[in-house]
Amino acid sequence: MSDMEQIGAVFLEDTIQTFRSMKKLADGAMQQLGDAQFFLAPDAESNSLAIIIQHVHGNMLSRWRDFLTTDGEKPDRNRDGEFEPRDLTREELLKLWEEGWSVLFGALEPLGPGDLLRTVTIRGEAHTVIKAIQRQVSHYAYHVGQIVYLGKHLAGEDWQTLSIARGQSKLYRP
Protein backbone atom coordinates (compact mmCIF):
# COMPACT_ATOMS: atom_id res chain seq x y z
CA MET A 1 0.00 0.00 0.00
CA SER A 2 1.42 3.40 -0.97
CA ASP A 3 1.74 6.27 1.48
CA MET A 4 -1.24 8.00 -0.12
CA GLU A 5 -3.35 4.87 0.20
CA GLN A 6 -2.32 4.56 3.84
CA ILE A 7 -3.27 8.19 4.45
CA GLY A 8 -6.65 7.57 2.81
CA ALA A 9 -7.24 4.44 4.90
CA VAL A 10 -6.35 6.30 8.11
CA PHE A 11 -8.62 9.19 7.10
CA LEU A 12 -11.57 6.86 6.56
CA GLU A 13 -10.92 4.94 9.77
CA ASP A 14 -10.60 8.16 11.76
CA THR A 15 -13.70 9.65 10.17
CA ILE A 16 -15.80 6.61 11.04
CA GLN A 17 -14.48 6.72 14.60
CA THR A 18 -15.28 10.44 14.80
CA PHE A 19 -18.86 9.80 13.71
CA ARG A 20 -19.16 6.93 16.24
CA SER A 21 -17.87 9.24 18.97
CA MET A 22 -20.40 11.94 18.01
CA LYS A 23 -23.23 9.45 18.07
CA LYS A 24 -22.12 8.16 21.47
CA LEU A 25 -22.18 11.69 22.92
CA ALA A 26 -25.67 12.40 21.60
CA ASP A 27 -26.91 8.98 22.73
CA GLY A 28 -25.49 9.64 26.20
CA ALA A 29 -27.29 12.96 26.41
CA MET A 30 -30.61 11.59 25.18
CA GLN A 31 -30.48 8.65 27.61
CA GLN A 32 -30.52 11.10 30.50
CA LEU A 33 -33.82 12.67 29.51
CA GLY A 34 -37.43 11.77 29.97
CA ASP A 35 -39.83 11.29 27.09
CA ALA A 36 -41.46 14.72 27.43
CA GLN A 37 -38.08 16.47 27.38
CA PHE A 38 -37.55 15.41 23.75
CA PHE A 39 -40.23 17.90 22.77
CA LEU A 40 -39.13 20.92 24.82
CA ALA A 41 -37.35 23.88 23.27
CA PRO A 42 -35.74 26.69 25.29
CA ASP A 43 -37.60 29.33 23.27
CA ALA A 44 -39.60 29.84 20.09
CA GLU A 45 -36.49 30.25 17.92
CA SER A 46 -34.76 27.10 19.20
CA ASN A 47 -35.26 23.49 18.23
CA SER A 48 -36.28 20.63 20.47
CA LEU A 49 -34.42 17.32 20.43
CA ALA A 50 -37.30 15.94 18.36
CA ILE A 51 -36.77 18.58 15.67
CA ILE A 52 -32.99 18.13 15.68
CA ILE A 53 -33.41 14.36 15.32
CA GLN A 54 -35.88 14.78 12.45
CA HIS A 55 -33.49 17.15 10.68
CA VAL A 56 -30.37 15.03 11.17
CA HIS A 57 -32.31 11.94 10.02
CA GLY A 58 -33.48 13.69 6.86
CA ASN A 59 -30.01 15.02 6.14
CA MET A 60 -28.35 11.64 6.68
CA LEU A 61 -30.76 9.82 4.39
CA SER A 62 -30.36 12.46 1.72
CA ARG A 63 -26.58 12.75 1.89
CA TRP A 64 -25.58 9.11 2.38
CA ARG A 65 -28.15 7.09 0.43
CA ASP A 66 -26.50 6.21 -2.91
CA PHE A 67 -23.64 8.46 -1.80
CA LEU A 68 -21.32 7.91 -4.75
CA THR A 69 -23.94 7.85 -7.48
CA THR A 70 -26.68 10.42 -6.81
CA ASP A 71 -26.84 14.03 -5.69
CA GLY A 72 -26.67 14.41 -1.92
CA GLU A 73 -29.84 16.48 -1.91
CA LYS A 74 -32.41 13.85 -2.84
CA PRO A 75 -35.62 14.94 -4.60
CA ASP A 76 -37.75 13.18 -1.96
CA ARG A 77 -36.25 15.17 0.91
CA ASN A 78 -38.50 17.72 2.57
CA ARG A 79 -35.95 19.77 4.52
CA ASP A 80 -38.47 22.39 5.62
CA GLY A 81 -40.71 19.61 6.95
CA GLU A 82 -37.86 18.35 9.12
CA PHE A 83 -38.31 21.49 11.23
CA GLU A 84 -42.04 21.02 11.75
CA PRO A 85 -43.31 19.21 14.85
CA ARG A 86 -44.59 15.73 14.05
CA ASP A 87 -46.69 13.41 16.16
CA LEU A 88 -43.87 10.99 17.00
CA THR A 89 -43.02 9.21 20.22
CA ARG A 90 -39.57 9.09 21.74
CA GLU A 91 -39.22 5.51 20.48
CA GLU A 92 -40.13 6.56 16.93
CA LEU A 93 -37.64 9.43 17.09
CA LEU A 94 -34.89 7.09 18.27
CA LYS A 95 -35.71 4.73 15.38
CA LEU A 96 -35.20 7.64 12.97
CA TRP A 97 -31.94 8.49 14.74
CA GLU A 98 -30.65 4.93 14.42
CA GLU A 99 -31.79 4.66 10.81
CA GLY A 100 -29.89 7.80 9.85
CA TRP A 101 -26.67 6.57 11.45
CA SER A 102 -27.11 3.15 9.86
CA VAL A 103 -27.34 4.73 6.40
CA LEU A 104 -24.27 6.88 7.13
CA PHE A 105 -22.12 3.95 8.28
CA GLY A 106 -23.47 1.79 5.46
CA ALA A 107 -22.16 4.36 2.98
CA LEU A 108 -18.83 5.08 4.67
CA GLU A 109 -17.66 1.62 5.70
CA PRO A 110 -17.30 0.21 2.15
CA LEU A 111 -15.29 3.21 0.92
CA GLY A 112 -11.62 2.74 0.20
CA PRO A 113 -8.74 5.18 -0.26
CA GLY A 114 -9.32 5.16 -4.01
CA ASP A 115 -12.78 6.66 -3.51
CA LEU A 116 -11.64 9.78 -1.68
CA LEU A 117 -10.87 11.89 -4.74
CA ARG A 118 -13.98 10.83 -6.63
CA THR A 119 -16.52 13.55 -7.32
CA VAL A 120 -19.97 13.60 -5.75
CA THR A 121 -22.54 16.36 -5.87
CA ILE A 122 -24.58 18.09 -3.20
CA ARG A 123 -27.29 20.40 -4.55
CA GLY A 124 -25.58 20.20 -7.93
CA GLU A 125 -22.22 21.39 -6.56
CA ALA A 126 -19.24 19.12 -7.15
CA HIS A 127 -17.30 17.94 -4.10
CA THR A 128 -14.52 15.44 -3.66
CA VAL A 129 -15.60 12.61 -1.40
CA ILE A 130 -13.21 14.05 1.20
CA LYS A 131 -14.93 17.44 1.05
CA ALA A 132 -18.40 15.88 1.20
CA ILE A 133 -17.41 13.82 4.25
CA GLN A 134 -15.83 16.82 5.99
CA ARG A 135 -18.94 18.87 5.29
CA GLN A 136 -21.01 16.28 7.14
CA VAL A 137 -18.52 15.93 10.01
CA SER A 138 -18.91 19.66 10.62
CA HIS A 139 -22.69 19.59 10.23
CA TYR A 140 -23.27 16.67 12.58
CA ALA A 141 -20.81 17.97 15.16
CA TYR A 142 -22.85 21.19 15.23
CA HIS A 143 -26.09 19.30 15.90
CA VAL A 144 -24.55 16.86 18.38
CA GLY A 145 -23.29 19.88 20.30
CA GLN A 146 -26.84 21.23 20.34
CA ILE A 147 -28.17 17.89 21.58
CA VAL A 148 -25.61 17.69 24.39
CA TYR A 149 -26.10 21.32 25.41
CA LEU A 150 -29.88 20.99 25.37
CA GLY A 151 -29.67 17.68 27.23
CA LYS A 152 -27.48 19.22 29.91
CA HIS A 153 -29.86 22.16 30.23
CA LEU A 154 -32.93 19.93 30.51
CA ALA A 155 -31.36 17.41 32.90
CA GLY A 156 -30.15 20.16 35.21
CA GLU A 157 -28.67 18.88 38.46
CA ASP A 158 -29.27 15.27 37.37
CA TRP A 159 -26.85 15.63 34.44
CA GLN A 160 -24.09 13.02 34.31
CA THR A 161 -21.09 14.37 32.43
CA LEU A 162 -20.16 12.78 29.12
CA SER A 163 -16.54 13.88 29.32
CA ILE A 164 -14.07 14.87 32.02
CA ALA A 165 -15.95 16.24 35.01
CA ARG A 166 -15.24 19.73 36.29
CA GLY A 167 -12.23 19.80 38.55
CA GLN A 168 -11.00 16.41 37.33
CA SER A 169 -8.68 17.43 34.48
CA LYS A 170 -5.52 16.70 36.47
CA LEU A 171 -6.51 13.03 36.62
CA TYR A 172 -6.10 12.80 32.84
CA ARG A 173 -2.65 14.36 32.48
CA PRO A 174 0.21 12.07 31.49
Side-chain angles (χ1 to χ4, degrees):
M1 185 180 281
S2 73
D3 286 350
M4 292 309 288
E5 289 171 324
Q6 287 179 333
I7 291 168
V10 168
F11 170 80
L12 288 167
E13 182 180 322
D14 186 58
T15 297
I16 291 168
Q17 181 54 46
T18 296
F19 280 129
R20 289 196 190 288
S21 178
M22 280 186 221
K23 183 180 182 304
K24 183 178 177 182
L25 282 171
D27 289 345
M30 291 188 284
Q31 288 171 358
Q32 296 186 51
L33 301 174
D35 294 356
Q37 290 173 309
F38 274 64
F39 305 94
L40 299 176
D43 56 67
E45 289 301 312
S46 297
N47 292 316
S48 66
L49 290 173
I51 296 296
I52 296 168
I53 291 168
Q54 289 173 189
H55 169 59
V56 170
H57 171 260
N59 180 276
M60 286 177 167
L61 294 187
S62 190
R63 295 294 184 267
W64 298 105
R65 195 176 37 170
D66 304 320
F67 174 62
L68 294 174
T69 58
T70 64
D71 193 281
E73 188 65 18
K74 304 295 186 281
D76 62 349
R77 182 179 185 199
N78 178 7
R79 185 184 182 282
D80 291 335
E82 295 164 13
F83 293 93
E84 296 295 326
R86 293 169 47 196
D87 189 24
L88 298 172
T89 65
R90 174 192 183 132
E91 290 76 25
E92 291 168 325
L93 288 164
L94 291 176
K95 274 181 130 173
L96 294 178
W97 178 252
E98 293 299 328
E99 179 187 27
W101 286 102
S102 178
V103 171
L104 177 149
F105 291 121
L108 276 180
E109 289 169 349
L111 294 179
D115 294 313
L116 294 176
L117 296 179
R118 290 178 64 175
T119 300
V120 296
T121 57
I122 300 173
R123 295 187 182 119
E125 182 183 339
H127 293 63
T128 63
V129 167
I130 293 172
K131 182 177 181 180
I133 289 171
Q134 288 302 106
R135 176 178 172 151
Q136 297 317 112
V137 167
S138 175
H139 185 206
Y140 302 147
Y142 172 82
H143 289 304
V144 166
Q146 290 176 321
I147 290 169
V148 172
Y149 186 78
L150 186 55
K152 187 173 184 177
H153 170 75
L154 293 171
E157 292 177 3
D158 295 328
W159 179 255
Q160 297 296 309
T161 188
L162 301 171
S163 62
I164 298 170
R166 286 185 185 171
Q168 302 299 311
S169 296
K170 289 181 181 179
L171 297 175
Y172 295 90
R173 289 189 184 147

